[in-house]
Structure formats: C-alpha cells, structure tokens
Amino acid sequence: MKKAIAAVILVCLLSGAKRAIAGDLSIYGFVRFDAVFDDSKMQSHQFGFWVKSEDPGAETDGNLTMYPRLTRLGARFKPVELDEVSSISGLVEIDFQNGGSESRQVLRLRQAYFNLQRGDWHFLAGQCWDVISPIFPIANNDGLMWHAGNLGDRHPQARLTYKPEGGFSLAVAAGQTGAVDRKDLDRNGILDGWDAAVPFLQARLGIEQPKFKAGAWAHWGAEETARPVGGETSFTSTAVGLDASISLTDRFMVQGEAWTGRNLTDVRGGIGQGVNTATGEEIASRGGWAQIVMMPNAQWKLYVGATMEQPDEEAIPAGGRTGNGALYAVGRYRPWKPLQVAVEYLYWKTTYKGPNDGIANRLDIHFTYNF
C-alpha cells in the first residue's frame, strides 16, 4: 500500500512541477502490457537471460506470464541557460520491474542524471546507460538479450563527452563497479567492486553521419576480495567492442555489435559467469548481435536478427553455460500514433558443460500506449 501511495505522490509531484515550471519540464512514457509464452523453462520468464538445461521429455514444459512491469514514466528537464555558452538539463525515469507480486509491482529507478553543456563539452552525473554498447537488439525488452550477445546496462557514473561539429565524438566515464552484478565472491558483506576502491572506466570513440553511425569502445573495472578466492584476491573486468548502424535506404537499416572481454557479469556478459571460484580464473567471453530493420510504411516496423555469446569453455566449471543466443523476428504495428501492437518470436538455445542443452520457443505479444 505504501509503495502504491508513493507512486501516486510521485506522479502528482511531477504533474505539479510541470505546471510550476511552465514548459521547462516534459513528462513522457508509456503504458505497456506483455503476454509471454515459453515452451521451455527460462531462468526467468519475464527477465529472460538463458534457457534452463532440459532433461529428456521436458522439452515442452511451457510457461505463460502476463504483466505491465515495463510501463515507464519519465520527466525530462529541458535545458536552462546558465550563461552565454552553458546550459543544464536533466532526466528522471522509472518503471516497475523491481520485484513484488504480479498485482503489487515495485518501482525501479532506471535513470536519474543531470547534463551540463558548455560549447562542445558535456558533463553528465547520475545514473545513466553505459558508454559502451550503446545500441541493443529490439527483441526481449525485459532482458535486452543481455548474457546472450548484448553488453551494457545502467550504472551510477560521471561522464565527460566531447562532441564538436562534423559527427565525431569522444566519451569517457567513471562509474560504480558492482552496481549490476553485486558480486561478493568472498561473502564478507562488502561488494568486490566497492572493495577495490576505484571506479570502472569506459570510453567510446564515435562517428555519426546521416546514413551511418559507428563506434569503438572499451571497458575496464577492478574487484578485490578480503580473502583468496581460487587463490586470487584481485580481479579485473575488461572488454573491447564495435557498434554500427547503417541506413541503406530510408526504409532499410542494418545494426549490430561485436565484442570480446573477460569477467563481464557487471556489464551483462559471460552468460552470468565472471570468475571461476575454484581456480580464480576470470572467464573470457566473446559475442555480438546483428539485426535488419525494415520500415515498409509509417505504421509498420519489421525486424529479424540473431544474438550469440560464447565463453571460454575451458574456464567454465562443470555444469556451467558454454553458449547462449537466439534467432528472432519482430513485428511492430501502429494503427494510431499513440498505440503500438507487437509480436516477437525467439528461437533460443543455451548450451552447457555437462548437462543437456536448453531450447525454447518464446512468443511475446505486447500492447503499448505512448504518451
């Protein structure tokens, strides 16, 4: 009850702030309803990352779930001029994918940051999307195909971006290691990323033209434990990758990313496996995804794509996940501008070191009212 009251108060405050600021604040978001059917068991039927190993005869042990958890509410604070060359803006965004029951969902803070701009320089501080892996597959909006070929998440961070005219950009960020995976290998109650006492570092060099966007990026993070884990007390997380989005025509686009790294659970890699606790080895992994976007008219968008992640099998402990990915097709239709109806199909396969593979056919039908 208290959480529901808090949500109502938040909406009222945002509405009141909008009236008070008189145009300097815009409210945005959507109401979304998903109905998801899987013919095999996922690790989570809403926030899906991989398919569970299946014993013979269990291949059609299905599941149906319906939920409005992805409903989103945001407040965008428009730029306010500070002097002749400087301005400041901000954003706060929430949804309901933070646990609770299916009729008592819990609020989740997605983003909360301010952005100070002075000429070609931007300084952002707060919680925002990572600098690395800036685009993502369109399928599986709950899990964004994390641990199945797509990296990146939202972290508390401070970011500096240089973006002059001409399409070139350079962004660097320092953020909180362990904010996503909350790794505590030695189980002493202190997150290993906190114990390292240094922020993670990310950087991306990008170029943007009317028909072409691309970037090269890197990630580094440190973790420490108070006692040895597999004979080690210090661990690092590293990744390098590329992203590209190419518009071949006004109605046809190709997008994708490719990357390689190790100990990547905090940025959604490794299929949820960062360190082999028996050997102390940081688990290396590689992956990526690609999709084709077709826009036959203003009402339809069609997508076909594939994702893949493959950790180093030798570093994976017995019973661990050695491969994960999906083939998918998505259709989105807008009969009217505020309303979207969509159907997603994924053929999802996860392989294991020892246990049987898991294969799922996943169907998601969702309806979205945008405002």
Side-chain angles (χ1 to χ4, degrees):
M1 184 66 178
K2 292 181 179 179
K3 294 171 183 175
I5 294 173
V8 172
I9 291 173
L10 177 61
V11 172
C12 292
L13 288 174
L14 291 175
S15 299
K18 183 178 181 180
R19 290 192 297 270
I21 298 176
D24 289 336
L25 173 69
S26 62
I27 303 299
Y28 70 92
F30 51 78
V31 178
R32 174 165 161 164
F33 172 79
D34 285 72
V36 181
F37 173 76
D38 300 291
D39 68 355
S40 295
K41 290 290 188 288
M42 304 290 295
Q43 126 281 343
S44 169
H45 291 284
Q46 292 181 3
F47 216 79
F49 292 146
W50 58 79
V51 188
K52 290 184 176 180
S53 175
E54 298 176 295
D55 294 328
E59 290 84 354
T60 57
D61 185 9
N63 195 91
L64 173 66
T65 178
M66 301 181 183
Y67 54 95
R69 291 179 178 271
L70 296 182
T71 294
R72 184 180 306 175
L73 179 64
R76 183 177 288 111
F77 298 84
K78 298 178 182 179
V80 175
E81 293 186 1
L82 303 177
D83 55 40
E84 293 182 355
V85 295
S86 303
S87 65
I88 190 168
S89 60
L91 182 142
V92 177
E93 184 180 87
I94 62 171
D95 67 10
F96 299 85
Q97 187 58 281
N98 197 32
S101 72
E102 293 318 304
S103 64
R104 301 292 188 275
Q105 295 86 354
V106 182
L107 286 173
R108 175 178 68 171
L109 181 66
R110 289 173 54 86
Q111 300 189 83
Y113 63 82
F114 72 84
N115 183 53
L116 176 64
Q117 181 177 355
R118 185 173 178 84
D120 296 332
W121 294 89
H122 302 253
F123 175 72
L124 179 149
Q127 180 162 297
C128 187
W129 288 98
D130 288 340
V131 168
I132 67 169
S133 189
I135 53 179
F136 51 84
I138 200 66
N140 187 34
N141 290 142
D142 259 359
L144 295 178
M145 302 313 295
W146 287 326
H147 300 294
N150 182 40
L151 289 187
D153 202 328
R154 298 177 296 271
H155 284 85
Q157 61 185 274
R159 178 192 304 180
L160 185 64
T161 303
Y162 177 58
K163 193 173 183 180
E165 294 183 0
F168 162 82
S169 65
L170 175 63
V172 294
Q176 177 63 70
T177 303
V180 171
D181 65 2
R182 299 189 61 79
K183 190 182 296 174
D184 182 13
L185 295 176
D186 57 357
R187 299 183 181 179
N188 68 342
I190 302 174
L191 300 186
D192 302 335
W194 297 8
D195 209 10
V198 293
F200 71 67
L201 301 176
Q202 295 183 352
R204 180 180 181 269
L205 179 64
I207 185 169
E208 181 174 343
Q209 299 298 324
K211 298 289 186 179
F212 176 77
K213 300 178 184 178
W217 38 266
H219 161 84
W220 176 90
E223 301 164 346
E224 287 188 7
T225 58
R227 61 175 180 80
V229 175
E232 303 289 340
T233 59
S234 296
F235 306 91
T236 57
S237 171
T238 59
V240 293
L242 301 170
D243 65 83
S245 181
I246 306 170
S247 298
L248 301 177
T249 70
D250 291 339
R251 301 183 183 275
F252 192 86
M253 180 187 300
V254 178
Q255 297 176 309
E257 295 181 335
W259 53 266
T260 183
R262 61 179 58 242
N263 188 18
L264 296 174
T265 50
D266 198 45
V267 289
R268 303 294 190 178
I271 324 181
Q273 304 158 122
V275 174
N276 185 323
T277 56
T279 65
E281 183 176 359
E282 297 153 354
I283 297 173
S285 192
R286 59 184 179 178
W289 60 272
Q291 69 184 10
I292 297 172
V293 186
M294 295 163 283
M295 297 162 281
N297 54 48
Q299 293 178 304
W300 279 97
K301 285 188 177 181
L302 305 173
Y303 307 79
V304 291
T307 74
M308 179 279 295
E309 178 164 2
Q310 186 175 23
D312 177 11
E313 186 169 350
E314 293 185 359
I316 298 294
R321 296 170 290 277
T322 59
N324 193 31
L327 303 173
Y328 61 85
V330 178
R332 294 186 169 188
Y333 173 61
R334 286 181 180 263
W336 300 279
K337 187 176 181 179
L339 178 65
Q340 176 181 273
V341 181
V343 178
E344 302 181 4
Y345 167 74
L346 297 92
Y347 173 82
W348 203 319
K349 182 176 181 179
T350 307
T351 59
Y352 289 81
K353 189 173 183 177
N356 295 324
D357 298 343
I359 297 177
N361 292 282
R362 182 176 178 87
L363 182 67
D364 183 359
I365 301 173
H366 49 91
F367 305 88
T368 306
Y369 162 59
N370 297 277
F371 58 85

